[in-house]
Amino acid sequence: MKKKIILAGGTGFTGEYFKRRFEELGYEVLIISRGEPHITWGNKVKIQQALEGSELLINLAGKSVNCRYHEKNKKEILNSRTETTNLLGELVASCQKPPKLWVNSSTATIYRHAEDRPMTEVDGEIGEGFSVNVATAWEEAFFSHQLEATRQVALRIAIVLGDSGGVMVPYSNLAKFGLGGQQGNGKQMFSWIHIEDLFQMILYVMDNEHLTGIFNSAAPNPITNREFTAAVRKAYNRKIGLPAAKWMLEIGTFVLRTETELLLKSRWVIPERFEKEGFAFKYATIDEALEQIAR
């Protein structure tokens, strides 16, 4: 009988990658999502049955932040994270044989706009504003469930890069059409992680049973937006990339129904805990990551 992995919110870019990789390792992967053919959030009985005896629960559920932050979307962004996390906590607590490990997604956006120094798990400063409030409420919901038989780890995930979706689709398209220059002044820090390293982090946490609490999931070599866009152009063999001033981004994000914060916030995040534990990155530099993605 195959060991079970439960992926909550597992139908997006990251979830689909995780599903494929876990199945390659011989696991049975069950997905909880909003619609068929997966287990739906409204079916508590099936969710609990899935959780029973599972090796790992990964919760990635949450409405995409790639939208305008009006009141309706803000409410949905918050509730889609806290309500699903609380539901999972209640059902895990009611299991006779609960998951051995629960990894809950969080976000590196929880830290303040940082151009002066990097943020670690120990000395990182929590920021202000809507996105930070969502992140802190999400973590509070997760850690409010004190589970004796289930180890809990929250991953503050940086921007995930991979070859099958996510942010690399718009960035690569901009580069290909000569529009892949710096955004704003280009000085904002860009913390990122290759999706395979994110997957390996979860395997690492599974294998090292002493690990609990909060971890920064980011590559050890963050770069500026200017350096990142230059690296993307290099990866796709484009010498020219027109820059986009802040006022241009304001217009563009309004038309595309998203927010400039996603591009202009300086996320300078270091994976200090993973590095101290000895985790080995496959894609430690942006050139290594983009070489694989572009290929």
Side-chain angles (χ1 to χ4, degrees), residues 45-282:
V45 173
K46 281 195 174 182
I47 294 175
Q48 184 171 3
Q49 289 173 347
L51 293 171
E52 284 283 358
S54 61
E55 293 294 306
L56 169 66
L57 164 62
I58 303 174
N59 181 25
L60 304 169
K63 176 181 170 62
S64 172
V65 296
N66 187 16
C67 61
R68 295 297 286 183
Y69 292 169
H70 55 63
E71 288 307 310
K72 181 175 181 291
N73 280 342
K74 286 165 74 171
K75 184 177 180 180
E76 289 179 0
I77 288 170
L78 175 61
N79 292 345
S80 64
R81 285 161 173 76
T82 57
E83 290 179 359
T84 52
T85 299
N86 282 324
L87 174 61
L88 290 171
E90 293 166 8
L91 294 177
V92 168
S94 65
C95 285
Q96 293 195 359
K97 191 177 180 183
K100 296 177 182 177
L101 170 64
W102 178 5
V103 175
N104 212 69
S105 180
S106 183
T107 172
T109 299
I110 198 168
Y111 298 111
R112 66 169 171 83
H113 180 97
E115 295 184 20
D116 55 335
R117 68 174 182 87
M119 302 286 117
T120 72
E121 297 92 343
V122 174
D123 65 4
E125 298 175 35
I126 305 302
E128 298 178 345
F130 168 68
S131 296
V132 172
N133 292 341
V134 169
T136 53
W138 199 5
E139 290 186 4
E140 286 170 4
F142 177 54
F143 288 113
S144 70
H145 299 275
Q146 299 296 313
L147 304 167
E148 292 184 6
T150 300
R151 197 159 43 98
Q152 291 172 260
V153 170
L155 299 181
R156 290 176 174 170
I157 302 173
I159 295 172
V160 181
L161 306 182
D163 62 7
S164 58
V167 301
M168 282 312 303
V169 173
Y171 274 114
S172 61
N173 286 337
L174 286 171
K176 291 172 184 177
F177 289 102
L179 301 173
Q182 70 185 46
Q183 294 155 332
N185 63 21
K187 295 179 181 179
Q188 67 272 31
M189 294 300 293
F190 184 87
S191 284
W192 58 276
I193 186 166
H194 191 285
I195 194 167
E196 177 62 21
D197 278 329
L198 180 59
F199 176 72
Q200 292 296 328
M201 283 177 170
I202 291 177
L203 296 184
Y204 194 86
V205 170
M206 289 178 72
D207 291 340
N208 291 273
E209 296 182 3
H210 65 286
L211 299 180
T212 60
I214 292 169
F215 287 80
N216 288 343
S217 291
N221 297 293
I223 52 179
T224 64
N225 174 270
R226 182 182 295 121
E227 291 168 330
F228 172 65
T229 51
V232 173
R233 295 196 304 273
K234 177 184 175 183
Y236 290 94
N237 297 312
R238 296 296 189 272
K239 294 183 179 180
I240 298 174
L242 297 177
K246 183 177 179 180
W247 67 268
M248 297 169 67
L249 294 173
E250 293 284 359
I251 296 172
T253 53
F254 178 80
V255 172
L256 296 173
R257 311 307 298 160
T258 186
E259 294 285 340
T260 57
E261 177 193 37
L262 302 178
L263 301 172
L264 298 179
K265 181 170 181 176
S266 187
R267 300 171 179 85
W268 193 348
V269 181
I270 298 294
E272 185 174 70
R273 286 195 69 189
F274 274 119
E275 288 189 293
K276 286 184 175 179
E277 289 291 337
F279 177 81
F281 287 85
K282 185 174 182 179

